[in-house]
Amino acid sequence: MATIRVRDWTKEQIEKIRDAESHSSHDSVIKSLLKDRKLAKYADDAAEAVPDSTTESQMDGPDTAFDDLTVLGELSDADNGVLFLWCPSCGNELAHMTADNPLGLSVFEIECQRCLTHLDRHAIVAIEIGYPIEQKLVDDRLQDDLKECVVDYWDRTLDSAAVGAPDDDLEPEYLVWQFDQYLRQFSWEWPADVPVVGFATGETYRNTATDEYLEVIEPVSENRNAMDSFKIRRYPADPETADGETEILDSTTVVDHIVNRRLLIEARTDSTSQPESTEPTA
């Protein structure tokens, strides 16, 4: 399996640029290259040496939301052997790396030094040199793109898991729990048009298979590495017009709904639950 390693880039190239442009350090050169996209001239030189199989594998790759933003978990080749890794939670650059193609990243973890979130290959975004990062920073769009990239990846990954994913580590139960944990840590507002990847107290979800509504009241278990079971109120139609019944939704059913992409989140409103009756006071 190919390995990936952190280092200062190709020493000869970086020292030439450092001397020519009077940079104070190797790190300064790297950041400058990322922002002004001068790496393009090296990509052009390397393109002639790229095997046809690499080009074909990129063409046959997944249909992603971005061409030059890719979650590390599905990145098979690094453009020109270079990766810039970013945190989707706070928009911080995690590391710049060189890699041998094809990539082999069954295990990769890093902690963001800004927000202190522990990230693995399912929540790290690789920015390649074709992405217009300088303009995105000026337009204040970088973090929105990082989020959209990860949301798209999580959605497609669970969709694949529903029909049997080829990767040994893509067990649906674990993926749902992991994505749910990330979603809580990132404090993201989930898109209303994308099936959810988590299940949270206080939210109401519409089951697109039955048109029922599930209002989540509270967890009734305390699993450390798996989804919990929840106390919910199930409505046969819109909670504003229908009466609901309280029940326990076990963790297996929660995972099944999420993996099979059935649940859409409803806009947050005041709780539809009826208040508990109270005795009048004297």
Side-chain angles (χ1 to χ4, degrees), residues 4-278:
I4 187 166
R5 51 194 181 276
V6 179
R7 61 188 183 189
D8 286 331
W9 201 278
T10 303
K11 186 176 180 180
E12 181 181 355
Q13 291 180 353
I14 203 169
E15 289 185 347
K16 286 181 180 179
I17 298 172
R18 183 192 62 184
D19 295 340
E21 300 182 5
S22 300
H23 287 277
S24 59
S25 66
H26 289 180
D27 188 62
S28 175
V29 176
I30 294 295
K31 291 184 181 296
S32 176
L33 289 172
L34 176 62
K35 291 179 180 179
D36 63 17
R37 300 177 61 195
K38 288 182 180 178
L39 273 172
K41 66 178 182 179
Y42 297 112
D44 291 339
D45 293 339
E48 297 178 0
V50 175
D52 292 341
S53 59
T54 300
T55 303
E56 291 173 1
S57 65
Q58 291 175 344
M59 294 178 62
D60 295 336
D63 184 14
T64 60
F66 299 90
D67 291 333
D68 300 303
L69 287 183
T70 310
V71 173
L72 202 56
E74 66 179 356
L75 189 65
S76 58
D77 294 282
D79 192 4
N80 198 33
V82 179
L83 292 175
F84 297 95
L85 306 183
W86 289 71
C87 172
S89 178
C90 67
N92 180 49
E93 184 184 2
L94 300 169
H96 44 261
M97 318 177 78
T98 58
D100 295 330
N101 289 325
L103 297 178
L105 296 172
S106 59
V107 177
F108 187 91
E109 298 179 350
I110 192 171
E111 183 177 80
C112 177
Q113 296 303 303
R114 178 186 291 172
C115 65
L116 303 181
T117 304
H118 189 80
L119 305 166
D120 75 352
R121 68 191 188 95
H122 297 301
I124 298 171
V125 180
I127 295 182
E128 297 184 82
I129 61 176
Y131 180 76
I133 188 168
E134 184 176 5
Q135 186 60 47
K136 294 291 185 175
L137 288 168
V138 170
D139 296 340
D140 196 25
R141 283 287 307 170
L142 174 60
Q143 196 154 353
D144 289 340
D145 284 358
L146 294 173
K147 174 184 175 181
E148 184 179 345
C149 176
V150 172
V151 167
D152 173 66
Y153 168 75
W154 287 350
D155 180 40
R156 289 183 294 98
T157 298
L158 288 179
D159 195 44
S160 297
V163 297
D167 293 13
D168 292 337
D169 69 326
L170 297 185
E171 296 181 5
E173 296 82 1
Y174 176 76
L175 283 177
V176 170
W177 173 80
Q178 186 181 39
F179 294 170
D180 179 73
Q181 294 299 304
Y182 278 135
L183 190 58
R184 295 169 191 267
Q185 293 174 37
F186 296 170
S187 299
W188 283 349
E189 182 177 344
W190 192 257
D193 60 343
V194 178
V196 299
V197 300
F199 205 73
T201 299
E203 299 289 2
T204 299
Y205 303 95
R206 181 172 68 87
N207 186 333
T208 58
T210 64
D211 278 334
E212 294 177 313
Y213 290 78
L214 309 178
E215 179 190 358
V216 186
I217 300 173
E218 61 183 359
V220 295
S221 60
E222 296 181 354
N223 297 327
R224 297 186 59 184
N225 297 305
M227 289 294 288
D228 286 313
S229 299
F230 287 85
K231 181 179 181 181
I232 68 165
R233 186 170 284 104
R234 184 189 300 271
Y235 296 89
D238 190 330
E240 294 185 359
T241 60
D243 294 327
E245 295 186 358
T246 302
E247 64 183 77
I248 301 299
L249 196 68
D250 65 82
S251 60
T252 300
T253 303
V254 172
V255 170
D256 182 67
H257 283 329
I258 294 173
V259 170
N260 286 285
R261 320 307 292 132
R262 298 178 187 137
L263 302 182
L264 293 175
I265 194 166
E266 290 295 295
R268 184 187 291 271
T269 60
D270 293 337
S271 174
T272 56
S273 303
Q274 297 296 320
E276 296 183 4
S277 61
T278 57

